[in-house]
Amino acid sequence: MKGHTHESHLYYQSIENVISRSDGNEIMLQYLWDIVAPTDFSDSAYEEPEYSARRAIFDYFLKTKKYNEGIIFLNKLLLSTPPESININSLLYLRMTDLYLLLGDLTNAESFMNRAAAFPGSDNKGTTVRDRNFDLRDFYEIKIGYAKIIQAKQKYIEASQRFYQISQVNDLPATEQTKCVQEALICAIVGAAGKQRSRLLASFVKDPRCFKLPLYPILEKAYFDRILKSEDR
């Protein structure tokens, strides 16, 4: 296993090197595909490096804003990944969801999110933690993904509630908690007036995590029903 661990590390490092040098041209993407595609999924030592490699590949397409190219590439990875590799398939579905959201394609985004949530150990709302060590990442991403889709549908109050609930989970890294609080705050501010919105704003005003957010002054104005100026929007 020690040898396998060393080989899997070299495998992941080779992918990182290709990504760092790639400018998105077809030759480099084909080379990247040639590295990733032949993976031996029967060897469990490669599962975590495979998982990390696919995250790195997605980050590359995100950084370069090559969303359509990313969808094509990840689709090829999906077709080459066996169904029993639950963690990797779930990750790919989540990344496809993100790319379709960035393209404004809600139909496909929701379709891939539902596929990610349909894997064993997670119901269609992403409310059950699976039993693998690194599945916790997918678990929260499923919940966040559903909140993003609801946000994209302009159901801002419901999206705000979901983001805020996720932000209160202790297992979530502090940076992710802050991102979720900020999204919850944005959704509440732009949401329709009403009792639910008022309760959310009251919670945010008292939440110490919101005090340092750039949006806090706008939150106070919204909470006290002050008129928001154009520069606040």
Side-chain angles (χ1 to χ4, degrees):
M1 181 60 71
K2 185 177 180 180
H4 284 192
T5 302
H6 177 66
E7 289 174 10
S8 62
H9 173 72
L10 290 176
Y11 163 79
Y12 175 53
Q13 199 167 37
S14 67
I15 290 175
E16 278 200 317
N17 289 337
V18 173
I19 290 173
S20 65
R21 297 173 185 174
S22 177
D23 59 359
N25 66 65
E26 292 184 10
I27 295 175
M28 292 298 286
L29 289 179
Q30 182 60 47
Y31 183 47
L32 185 60
W33 170 254
D34 291 340
I35 296 175
V36 177
T39 304
D40 179 10
F41 286 93
S42 64
D43 188 345
S44 60
Y46 280 96
E47 188 168 8
E48 175 63 7
E50 271 296 311
Y51 188 96
S52 299
R54 279 152 172 72
R55 276 183 170 272
I57 290 169
F58 167 76
D59 289 341
Y60 161 74
F61 285 115
L62 194 66
K63 184 178 180 180
T64 57
K65 296 184 178 181
K66 296 180 180 294
Y67 307 140
N68 285 307
E69 292 89 338
I71 287 171
I72 293 170
F73 197 92
L74 296 185
N75 250 324
K76 287 175 68 177
L77 289 178
L78 274 171
L79 292 172
S80 70
T81 307
E84 59 270 19
S85 297
I86 293 175
N87 297 302
I88 294 172
N89 278 308
S90 179
L91 170 73
L92 291 172
Y93 286 143
L94 287 168
R95 298 287 73 82
M96 292 287 280
T97 299
D98 288 335
L99 290 172
Y100 276 119
L101 278 174
L102 288 167
L103 289 170
D105 187 340
L106 292 182
T107 301
N108 275 313
E110 193 162 13
S111 174
F112 276 97
M113 179 56 64
N114 289 335
R115 293 185 202 180
F119 281 107
S122 174
D123 64 20
N124 65 355
K125 297 300 179 185
T127 54
T128 306
V129 180
R130 301 174 209 163
D131 59 0
R132 289 175 173 79
N133 291 334
F134 50 90
D135 273 340
L136 196 61
R137 293 173 292 191
D138 287 355
F139 164 65
Y140 291 122
E141 287 194 42
I142 289 171
K143 294 174 76 68
I144 292 170
Y146 274 112
K148 286 180 179 178
I149 289 171
I150 292 168
Q151 181 183 25
K153 291 181 177 180
Q154 299 184 6
K155 297 180 180 180
Y156 295 120
I157 299 303
E158 183 181 350
S160 178
Q161 291 170 330
R162 284 179 178 249
F163 278 122
Y164 196 47
Q165 287 171 358
I166 299 167
S167 77
Q168 295 171 316
V169 177
N170 293 329
D171 290 337
L172 198 66
T175 53
E176 294 302 315
Q177 287 184 13
T178 301
K179 288 179 184 177
C180 287
V181 169
Q182 184 157 300
E183 289 300 321
L185 185 53
I186 292 170
C187 289
I189 289 172
V190 301
K195 291 182 179 180
Q196 286 182 312
R197 179 176 183 266
S198 296
R199 283 195 292 268
L200 282 167
L201 294 176
S203 298
F204 295 142
V205 166
K206 299 173 185 176
D207 192 328
R209 298 175 301 174
C210 294
F211 297 165
K212 296 180 181 180
L213 293 178
L215 287 172
Y216 191 76
I218 301 175
L219 166 63
E220 286 187 308
K221 289 183 179 181
Y223 177 67
F224 291 110
D225 289 327
R226 295 172 186 162
I227 297 175
L228 296 179
K229 299 178 181 179
S230 57
E231 58 265 28
D232 293 329
R233 298 182 182 277

